[in-house]
Amino acid sequence: MKAKLTFLGTGTSSGVPMLGCSCPVCVSKDPRDKRLRASAYVEYGGLSILVDCGPDFRQQALRSGIDHIDGILLTHNHMDHTGGLDDTRALNLCEGHPMNIYCERYVEDSLKKTYAYAFAEPRYPGAPEWRIHRIDDKPFRLYSNAGDERIVWEKGFGYRHLPGNGDACPDSVEIVPIQGWHLKDRSLSVLGYRFGNIAYLTDMNLIEESEYDKLRGLDAVTLNCVKVGPHRSHFSLQECLDFFEKVGAARSYITHLSHLLPCHEEFDRMLPPDVHPAYDGLVLDF
């Protein structure tokens, strides 16, 4: 099964341009050098899937015309990947369903602290309606939200929760998580995800040898790089290129880029023919 992936954002945690910076990348007029925080929108098996929901999510969704999401996959708990989750309240109201969020247990625990109001009882009227699905590095199924319970807004009360369509047989797809680490000491887990012929990985500094079997036969793969040289929590450019060569995908894309890398056009010329810097709005559909 083939997937279609749209890069909603390809920037690092500060975005590009970075506030207060006047370097050549930050003042570039090339729209491909304007990078919102890293996120992707995947259309797969008839389902609409968001990978990470950072602080630029509202702007990204409006720009790309996103009005439906079956599930959100979180890679890890950093705010540049979770800071836009409150904006999913609008989809709660318009679609009439809770938002399904898939993440590791430590990410769920982090969300309960950062967004305590979304989990508090009694419910605050209008707070985000989320359903957390705990995952790990094992394959799992992500289901359409068509059969989920319905939520109906009642003025002066908040959401009324009504049963879903019990007779519905919602579509589902298999998602294959890729275990990575943000730090080489393995203290911060990060999950990448494979959607059929495309794999999306970001914010990693270490990938176990055992995970490479999950990455065979891809049409496209992504990986993070914020600077040419070594970095404490991200791959260097050479490490990134070594990863792409080892995986052997037909096409490879670098994401989570910072202003420490060259402008898009110059950077693209530096790379092997089958490797490219991603940019906001780029669509992978093979």
Side-chain angles (χ1 to χ4, degrees):
M1 187 185 303
K2 293 186 178 296
K4 176 182 176 181
L5 183 147
T6 302
F7 290 95
L8 300 180
T10 55
T12 189
S13 58
S14 61
V16 182
M18 189 175 77
L19 287 175
C21 184
S22 58
C23 75
V25 176
C26 287
V27 301
S28 168
K29 301 301 183 183
D30 188 335
R32 295 171 297 183
D33 290 320
K34 310 301 182 187
R35 302 183 181 280
L36 301 177
R37 267 63 73 94
S39 178
Y41 179 66
V42 180
E43 297 164 84
Y44 183 46
L47 304 188
S48 300
I49 303 165
L50 182 69
V51 184
D52 286 335
C53 187
D56 300 317
F57 167 68
R58 180 179 178 276
Q59 179 181 355
Q60 293 166 338
L62 289 170
R63 182 183 62 190
S64 296
I66 297 171
D67 58 7
H68 169 72
I69 295 174
D70 288 293
I72 299 175
L73 306 179
L74 297 179
T75 58
H76 62 302
N77 67 339
H78 285 174
M79 285 299 288
D80 56 320
H81 297 263
T82 64
L85 284 169
D86 183 79
D87 285 327
T88 63
R89 291 183 297 119
L91 294 178
N92 290 153
L93 182 63
C94 293
E95 290 207 86
H97 290 293
M99 181 61 67
N100 293 301
I101 299 176
Y102 297 75
C103 62
E104 293 188 89
R105 178 169 187 164
Y106 88 90
V107 178
E108 177 185 3
D109 293 341
S110 180
L111 295 181
K112 288 180 177 178
K113 294 178 181 178
T114 304
Y115 295 101
Y117 62 91
F119 297 90
E121 295 290 349
R123 304 287 294 163
Y124 178 82
E129 294 281 345
W130 298 334
R131 297 293 176 268
I132 307 295
H133 304 265
R134 197 178 297 167
I135 59 173
D136 52 26
D137 62 348
K138 299 177 182 61
F140 63 93
R141 298 204 73 81
L142 187 151
Y143 288 84
S144 162
N145 69 355
D148 286 351
E149 68 170 322
R150 293 179 293 126
I151 52 176
V152 179
W153 182 258
E154 182 178 315
K155 186 177 180 180
F157 174 79
Y159 282 113
R160 295 287 185 187
H161 289 248
L162 305 175
N165 184 358
D167 296 328
C169 297
D171 295 332
S172 69
V173 291
E174 182 180 68
I175 309 295
V176 180
I178 314 299
Q179 176 69 71
W181 304 94
H182 216 334
L183 297 165
K184 286 187 172 14
D185 64 5
R186 297 176 174 81
S187 61
L188 180 56
S189 173
V190 180
L191 293 181
Y193 299 100
R194 177 169 182 162
F195 309 92
N197 62 321
I198 298 175
Y200 180 87
L201 285 71
T202 188
D203 283 60
M204 295 182 180
N205 187 243
L206 175 67
I207 301 172
E208 307 288 358
E209 283 294 322
S210 58
E211 296 301 286
Y212 281 90
D213 285 341
K214 299 177 182 178
L215 297 168
R216 304 305 177 199
L218 289 168
D219 287 327
V221 65
T222 80
L223 193 64
N224 55 289
C225 179
V226 301
K227 59 185 292 191
V228 172
H231 191 280
R232 181 170 181 265
S233 56
H234 291 272
F235 285 119
S236 69
L237 178 57
Q238 189 57 57
E239 289 172 328
C240 197
L241 295 177
D242 291 343
F243 167 84
F244 290 147
E245 184 176 1
K246 187 169 183 176
V247 169
R251 300 173 183 85
S252 302
Y253 297 87
I254 301 175
T255 191
H256 209 281
L257 297 94
S258 80
H259 68 155
L260 299 176
L261 291 162
C263 290
H264 176 92
E265 188 172 349
E266 177 186 350
F267 191 28
D268 199 25
R269 288 197 301 264
M270 294 169 50
L271 299 173
D274 57 347
V275 178
H276 302 281
Y279 56 87
D280 293 19
L282 174 65
V283 177
L284 307 184
D285 187 10
F286 308 119

